[in-house]
Amino acid sequence: MSALGFGCWAIGGEWQSADGQPLGWGRVDDEESVRAIHRALDLGVTFFDTADTYGAGHSERVLGRALGKRRADVVVATKWGNVFDEPTRTHIGADDSPAYARRALTASLRRLGTDYVDLYQLHLSDAEPERAAQLRELCEEFVEKGLIRAYAWSTDDPARAAVFAEGKHCAAVQHTLNVLQDAPEMLALCEESELASINRSPLAMGLLTGKRGGAMEAGDIRSRPPAWLQGFGDGSGADPAWLARVDALREVLTSDGRTLAQGALSWLWARSRRTIPIPGFRSVAQAEQNAGAIAKGPLTAAQSAEIDRLLGR
């Protein structure tokens, strides 16, 4: 599997919560998404992370169509736990029952056009540990049946992640990690339990791409940021305090010919040998820039230390 994965949230297009809160990244061109996935494959990216709820099933459908006959060449990760209505592209709740997990996996396999998922991830970050233990054992059953190869929990709570880590075929934890938002406890768990650290928000929801922004389009989750989405304040654009931190790091991150985004990805590889960042993309150009980080490799220890100094860590 490649050291870099691609996150497929954005290519799901627009979708919303029951009260109209945007949950996607705005409008998307499916044909451009397919071209971007093909370009990523050509550039050596072999890991794609999606979820059944992204675009209310649309991201899985686009990814499945793009991979086609190259399905066996890649690692596909998807997630379950959220309930949604496909026709209206609306998120309508959550379901942590084993029965729903069975239905969700069947539906994801159909949308992806495959007969197995490489990594199946619980998408309810705050599920109760007791229920999670049940779902962990259900995932072991899925492995035995050949429906999945391994499983993980998408959560920022190390104690919860540790519940899944007890399972024989638990291979990873997906959690927030970027140069502005470190996660030392989770990385320690990954090292101790020999798990991959799959890094969501590796570019801090776009703050580490260098765009100064302004108001976001109406269908973009950053235009009306929920409480958990940091760095975008009231939705009028990027938080100036966060942008100031990015500016402080710019010289180090763009050293050695890297773009700002490539430097942010290189920091993740330097942070731990277990990290696999999964930046999002909506275009061929973004795919090319993100994949270009692979050749640059991790930052040096001196560069990482300078970043910690600049951030007061």
Side-chain angles (χ1 to χ4, degrees):
M1 187 171 76
S2 54
L4 179 73
F6 271 22
C8 299
W9 179 8
I11 65 170
E14 293 182 279
W15 53 299
Q16 62 187 355
S17 65
D19 62 358
Q21 162 76 39
L23 296 174
W25 289 63
R27 289 167 293 179
V28 70
D29 178 343
D30 290 345
E31 298 311 311
E32 179 70 3
S33 298
V34 169
R35 286 191 292 269
I37 291 168
H38 290 168
R39 184 64 178 138
L41 288 166
D42 293 341
L43 293 170
V45 175
T46 60
F47 176 45
F48 294 87
D49 175 88
T50 185
D52 57 2
T53 196
Y54 295 162
H58 192 67
S59 175
E60 287 185 329
R61 294 184 188 280
V62 172
L63 178 60
R65 176 160 70 93
L67 294 179
K69 294 180 179 179
R70 300 182 72 174
R71 166 65 184 98
D73 300 332
V74 303
V75 172
V76 172
T78 193
K79 310 179 192 76
W80 93 94
N82 289 288
V83 183
F84 52 91
D85 179 65
E86 285 200 47
T88 60
R89 292 197 176 198
T90 303
H91 175 267
I92 54 178
D95 191 335
D96 67 358
S97 70
Y100 183 72
R102 295 178 193 276
R103 296 199 301 273
L105 178 55
T106 299
S108 284
L109 292 172
R110 183 180 67 248
R111 284 188 293 263
L112 287 163
T114 185
D115 57 5
Y116 70 97
V117 167
D118 295 281
L119 185 69
Y120 202 38
Q121 302 164 102
L122 177 58
H123 206 184
L124 303 177
S125 61
D126 57 354
E128 291 300 321
E130 295 79 10
R131 174 67 90 180
Q134 281 185 286
L135 295 172
R136 179 192 68 212
E137 296 312 306
L138 179 62
C139 285
E140 288 290 341
E141 178 187 317
F142 291 157
V143 172
E144 289 176 11
K145 292 181 176 179
L147 298 173
I148 69 174
R149 300 286 171 83
Y151 55 88
W153 193 343
S154 179
T155 179
D156 289 322
D157 180 0
R160 282 182 162 84
V163 173
F164 257 39
E166 293 176 15
K168 179 180 179 181
H169 292 93
C170 181
V173 58
Q174 182 169 147
H175 62 99
T176 299
L177 182 67
N178 59 61
V179 67
L180 302 175
Q181 296 169 287
D182 200 3
E185 290 183 16
M186 193 68 89
L187 290 173
L189 172 69
C190 290
E191 193 63 42
E192 177 185 335
S193 301
E194 298 185 346
L195 302 176
S197 161
I198 300 174
N199 312 139
R200 81 170 95 86
S201 298
L203 302 179
M205 299 290 283
L207 293 176
L208 289 163
T209 64
K211 293 181 180 177
R212 306 305 291 186
M216 306 292 175
E217 65 175 283
D220 191 319
I221 191 171
R222 296 168 295 180
S223 69
R224 290 170 55 192
W228 58 263
L229 202 171
Q230 301 182 58
F232 289 89
D234 59 5
S236 60
D239 186 321
W242 283 64
L243 287 177
R245 293 164 72 199
V246 174
D247 286 341
L249 304 178
R250 188 177 299 272
E251 184 176 348
V252 180
L253 292 177
T254 58
S255 58
D256 304 315
R258 294 179 174 92
T259 66
L260 185 63
Q262 289 171 347
L265 297 174
S266 292
W267 178 84
L268 287 162
W269 290 319
R271 181 66 182 85
S272 165
R273 65 194 179 96
R274 297 191 172 275
T275 54
I276 305 172
I278 49 169
F281 65 99
R282 282 194 286 182
S283 67
V284 170
Q286 289 172 337
E288 289 176 338
Q289 177 181 212
N290 291 339
I294 297 173
K296 301 291 184 180
L299 296 182
T300 65
Q303 289 168 328
S304 295
E306 175 63 7
I307 285 171
D308 284 340
R309 187 190 69 79
L310 290 167
L311 292 176
R313 292 202 290 238

